[in-house]
Amino acid sequence: MSTAYRSIGRNVYVVSGSPVTLIIKCPGANWIVDPGLLGNREKLLRNVLERLGVKEYNVLLSHTHYDHIEALEALNPSRIYVSVLEYTSLLSSMVRNILTYGFTQLPRILGVRSIDVEKEKVEIVEEGFKLGDSCGELINLSGHSPGLAGIVFEGFLFVGDAVFGDRLISRVGIPYHFNAKRALLTLEKIKAYAEKGYSGILSHGPIANSEKLSEYVDLNAERLRLIRELVIDHLLREPLSLEELVGRILGRLGAEVSVENILLGSVTVNSIISDLQGEYGLSTEVSGGLVRYRLTRS
């Protein structure tokens, strides 16, 4: 159990996993940030809470993707806090699945659980919300999801899914972002914190010192820019359906061309195509029963 969590500062603990969970002991309120997936999570979190002497707590969600909230079922928080743009998707698994995956079969393929939270327990928070005196402050890191919230601590920045580790990027090829353009702006925001000496806590990756955090930010930004270049390159040459385009990009990136990678990558690529319409003309055609897109220089 000693390796299940580690202290990273005054009363802040990181529980291992993908995603990680934070436990913050703050005068007046204790916090669990992103409970994570179920599986053995219930036993793990209960053991860590017992060792830390935490009996009552609130839950703060960086965002409402299922891998960050599933273990809510194993907890009994006093209140659940979430940003306003994640509120409706927390209350309704149907809204959550549509916003995250669209009308695809991916939730079934991934085994996503239907978790609906009663609104009476939920509090809406915004950027600047303080967990308590010197216990952290929320920062808007949207892009991966509409209302992704990070937390600024003394010397640390919890970035959630705004930054991914190199292993995950290598595996998926196309990192998931609801809005790729917004994600790039968020990466610039995080880069500024790294340059000020802040270390980073990644939901899916290691705890990184400021230098390593800066490297991860650059890696993520370079990947998004490369994907944009590949979208332009392919769609200027020939019309392709969204799934054809994503499959080709995954191949160019050396990532597995799997159902999961295509469907998740399609969200990111589709947001890039939408953004490119302001710079390029976009034509569509139906061929072989598929809608195919092509960019035309304006």
Side-chain angles (χ1 to χ4, degrees), residues 24-145:
I24 304 167
K25 298 178 66 176
C26 188
N30 298 308
W31 298 85
I32 296 178
V33 181
D34 288 358
L37 290 163
L38 271 175
N40 67 343
R41 204 70 178 169
E42 177 179 3
K43 182 178 179 181
L44 174 62
L45 288 177
R46 291 191 185 282
N47 285 339
V48 173
L49 291 171
E50 183 177 355
R51 289 174 66 91
L52 295 176
V54 174
K55 296 182 179 179
E56 295 185 0
Y57 51 84
N58 299 315
V59 164
L60 173 66
L61 301 172
S62 66
H63 62 301
T64 55
H65 288 170
Y66 88 100
D67 56 327
H68 291 253
I69 72 170
E70 191 180 55
L72 270 175
E73 290 188 350
L75 300 175
N76 184 30
S78 300
R79 307 291 291 172
I80 301 170
Y81 291 74
V82 69
S83 68
V84 63
L85 291 178
E86 303 283 336
Y87 174 73
T88 303
S89 62
L90 176 63
L91 301 185
S92 169
S93 57
M94 179 185 71
V95 172
R96 183 185 320 125
N97 288 343
I98 292 171
L99 284 176
T100 307
Y101 311 111
F103 288 96
T104 71
Q105 294 301 310
L106 194 53
R108 179 186 59 80
I109 294 168
L110 295 174
V112 172
R113 297 169 63 88
S114 295
I115 303 168
D116 300 317
V117 177
E118 296 179 3
K119 65 180 180 180
E120 288 76 17
K121 269 202 167 187
V122 180
E123 298 282 351
I124 294 175
V125 289
E126 298 179 349
E127 184 171 32
F129 174 79
K130 297 182 185 298
L131 279 66
D133 293 338
S134 303
C135 294
E137 180 176 326
L138 295 194
I139 179 174
N140 179 7
L141 298 179
S142 61
H144 173 74
S145 73

Side-chain angles (χ1 to χ4, degrees), residues 139 141 151-153 155-166 169 186-222:
I139 179 174
L141 298 179
I151 309 173
V152 180
F153 304 100
F156 282 91
L157 175 62
F158 173 65
V159 301
D161 284 8
V163 181
F164 295 110
D166 49 356
I169 288 180
T186 286
L187 288 170
E188 293 178 7
K189 190 174 187 178
I190 296 171
K191 178 83 168 184
Y193 276 92
E195 290 173 345
K196 293 176 184 177
Y198 280 79
S199 297
I201 307 166
L202 284 63
S203 287
H204 302 277
I207 298 174
N209 61 28
S210 58
E211 182 178 350
K212 194 66 178 177
L213 175 60
S214 184
E215 291 179 9
Y216 281 131
V217 168
D218 290 343
L219 172 66
N220 281 257
E222 289 167 5

Side-chain angles (χ1 to χ4, degrees), residues 268-286:
T268 305
V269 170
N270 205 26
S271 77
I272 291 172
I273 293 173
S274 297
D275 182 54
L276 287 171
Q277 291 185 71
E279 184 179 345
Y280 297 82
L282 180 68
S283 66
T284 57
E285 65 179 60
V286 177

